Amino acid sequence: MNARRTAFDVLRQVTAEDSYANLALAKRLATAGLDARDAGLVTELVAGTCRSMGTYDAILEEAAGRKLSSLQPAVVDLLRLGAHQILGMRLKKYAAVGATVDLARATVGQRVTGVVNAVLRKVAARDLDGWLDLLAEGEDRIGALAVRGRHPHWIVEAYAEVLPADELEAALTANNVSPQPTLVVRPGLADLGDLDGATPTRFSPFGATVAGSPADQEAVRQGRVGVQDEGSQLVAWALARTPAPEGPWLDTCAGPGGKAALLTGLAREAGTWLLASEAQEHRARLVRQALAGYPDGAAVIAADGTAPAWDRAFARVMVDVPCSGLGALRRRPESRWRRSPADVAALGQLQRDLLRRAIDSTVDGGVVAYVTCSPHRAETVDVVDDVLAERPQARRLHAPDALPDVPDCSLGDDVQLWTHRHGTDAMYMSLIRC
């Protein structure tokens, strides 16, 4: 199977079956039998098309002169792939159009080749900047940034609430760049010297990047080193280094296990242990796999964090709540077009309940880290403000004090990391003294 056909099949899974692009892509590449060059082409076709899908859809509707909903869904995906080759990858126009028409003939049938050819030739009449200029006409500042940054309008509005105006464009641009995988050295199991060609990360003492695939590293294959964004490492480290009484630690939303593994290593070094709780059994199994390298120092249970299954309190509690994921858009290329403001609102009650139970599960003088991989105010500051208003015994700490070497990470008393500033996912953290 060739690269474009493989990319088309993956894109159909994403748009027709709501599959995650990164997972569907990895699964298909594992069995496609492609060489490295073609595998790279498939990755660019899928990730690039998904990342700019809403923008390409607007361009295609202008070029077609009709709504894309009037076309067969498989034809729309063919047009999206063609648009990305013409506008995003800047391949030779006639080659990109011809290859997409051939793909249309092989997948949907001869009858659709005419419309695919006609629409893509109109797309090729302008370059990407020309199309973005056209789409941005008449838009206000936020609307123009959304068009040019290839994000939905509501996400740009959410960023604008918490970022200075002169950083918005850089923040959106950073979301359009695929991240290099970051590795985490698990305390007590490995150190940076166990990695071939490691380059330490800027802020986390546990992080590194390497050339090539993480799976090429023996320490990764042995489970002594994992793959984890530096932002996730930093919030776990901040919790571990904030003064607290002696006693066991708790991770209430532990799946898939990256933070739980780092916290387990840090807890063992502090002479204690971690309870990792995850509501869904299949994700609890992932946590057990992530912790498999540790011979002791952790226990894993499948339990709902809003209805605690434990009968004791903990010294340090991590509550990394389910969220919209708007801080990790660079690694989830389709999610920006799949999410909506309703998704953010729907999570608010669960996020507040999880934080309430986390505070209830903490000893007097203990500390809670409330964490999201979203900078959206409704999932971050607003949640903490509401819950602390109910709990006068709990108080907000100045969280940036726990990350003194990370510049420009303050959001009031909380921490907000940004991809364009720190090179991490846009993680949010509030530290609460109970």
Side-chain angles (χ1 to χ4, degrees):
M1 186 174 292
N2 67 36
R4 287 180 173 81
R5 174 58 191 262
T6 303
F8 172 74
D9 289 345
V10 174
L11 188 59
R12 293 297 300 138
Q13 282 186 265
V14 173
T15 61
E17 302 170 19
D18 285 339
S19 297
Y20 292 111
N22 57 342
L23 300 181
L25 181 62
K27 186 175 182 180
R28 185 57 62 95
L29 287 178
T31 59
L34 300 174
D35 61 26
R37 180 173 175 274
D38 278 350
L41 175 57
V42 173
T43 300
E44 173 55 36
L45 285 170
V46 172
T49 300
C50 288
R51 191 174 292 118
S52 296
M53 189 177 294
T55 303
Y56 290 152
D57 286 357
I59 291 171
L60 289 166
E61 287 194 342
E62 284 285 338
R66 58 175 173 170
K67 294 291 186 183
L68 294 185
S69 57
S70 67
L71 295 171
Q72 186 177 343
V75 172
V76 174
D77 282 344
L78 288 164
L79 292 171
R80 289 164 171 162
L81 285 170
H84 182 59
Q85 291 171 75
I86 295 167
L87 302 175
M89 299 174 68
R90 299 183 180 181
L91 301 182
K92 291 182 178 178
K93 297 175 182 177
Y94 294 114
V97 173
T100 308
V101 169
D102 290 343
L103 182 61
R105 183 180 297 109
T107 54
V108 181
Q110 178 67 34
R111 61 183 173 78
V112 302
T113 56
V115 67
V116 170
N117 182 64
V119 173
L120 290 182
R121 285 183 180 277
K122 289 184 179 178
V123 170
R126 300 172 187 260
D127 62 14
L128 181 58
D129 287 340
W131 279 111
L132 296 181
D133 287 344
L134 179 66
L135 295 177
E137 285 181 2
E139 295 283 349
D140 60 13
R141 186 180 68 87
I142 295 295
L145 281 169
V147 169
R148 298 189 187 285
R150 286 169 274 169
H151 284 66
H153 192 284
W154 72 273
I155 292 180
V156 183
E157 285 185 318
Y159 274 41
E161 280 196 57
V162 289
L163 263 180
D166 61 359
E167 291 189 44
L168 272 177
E169 183 177 352
L172 302 180
T173 300
N175 286 341
N176 293 332
V177 179
S178 297
Q180 182 179 8
T182 305
L183 304 182
V184 57
V185 172
R186 289 173 174 154
L189 298 181
D191 55 44
L192 293 180
D194 292 323
L195 295 171
D196 295 330
T199 300
T201 49
R202 290 171 64 192
F203 308 116
S204 168
F206 315 103
T209 57
V210 295
S213 170
D216 295 338
Q217 299 283 333
E218 183 179 5
V220 173
R221 295 195 297 272
Q222 294 173 339
R224 296 185 296 120
V225 171
V227 178
Q228 185 180 45
D229 180 73
E230 189 182 10
S232 294
Q233 299 176 35
L234 289 172
V235 295
W237 190 37
L239 174 61
R241 67 195 313 198
T242 298
E246 293 184 356
W249 303 0
L250 171 67
D251 185 352
T252 65
C253 303
K259 290 187 194 67
L262 179 53
L263 287 170
T264 295
L266 295 170
R268 291 174 83 244
E269 289 184 346
T272 187
W273 58 280
L274 176 86
L275 176 64
S277 175
E278 169 54 45
Q280 302 176 51
E281 178 55 44
H282 74 281
R283 287 171 60 85
R285 286 196 293 273
L286 295 176
V287 178
R288 293 186 185 96
Q289 292 172 12
L291 300 181
Y294 286 106
D296 53 46
V300 181
I301 60 173
D304 182 354
T306 65
W310 44 88
D311 58 2
R312 61 166 303 151
F314 298 83
R316 289 182 171 85
V317 177
M318 168 67 71
V319 54
D320 182 1
V321 299
C323 69
S324 63
L326 298 187
L329 296 178
R330 58 181 181 155
R331 66 181 71 254
R332 299 168 187 164
E334 80 289 351
S335 65
R336 73 186 68 177
W337 308 110
R338 190 175 279 175
R339 297 292 188 190
S340 73
D343 296 317
V344 174
L347 288 166
Q349 187 61 48
L350 174 61
Q351 292 163 344
R352 286 165 175 78
D353 286 345
L354 285 166
L355 179 54
R356 291 183 184 108
R357 298 293 85 76
I359 292 174
D360 293 342
S361 300
T362 307
V363 300
D364 289 346
V367 61
V368 171
Y370 174 84
V371 170
T372 70
C373 59
S374 167
H376 197 300
R377 187 178 177 88
E379 301 184 275
T380 58
V381 175
D382 289 354
V383 172
V384 177
D385 285 350
D386 287 352
V387 174
L388 290 187
E390 304 167 358
R391 308 293 171 110
Q393 81 282 8
R395 64 182 175 86
R396 205 181 215 126
L397 300 177
H398 188 63
D401 290 346
L403 297 173
D405 297 326
V406 181
D408 301 322
C409 68
S410 297
L411 180 67
D413 281 330
D414 301 335
V415 162
Q416 179 62 65
L417 302 174
W418 288 102
T419 303
H420 68 287
R421 289 184 190 171
H422 307 105
T424 68
D425 288 347
M427 303 290 296
Y428 165 88
M429 176 184 67
S430 181
L431 292 175
I432 299 165
R433 179 76 68 196
C434 296

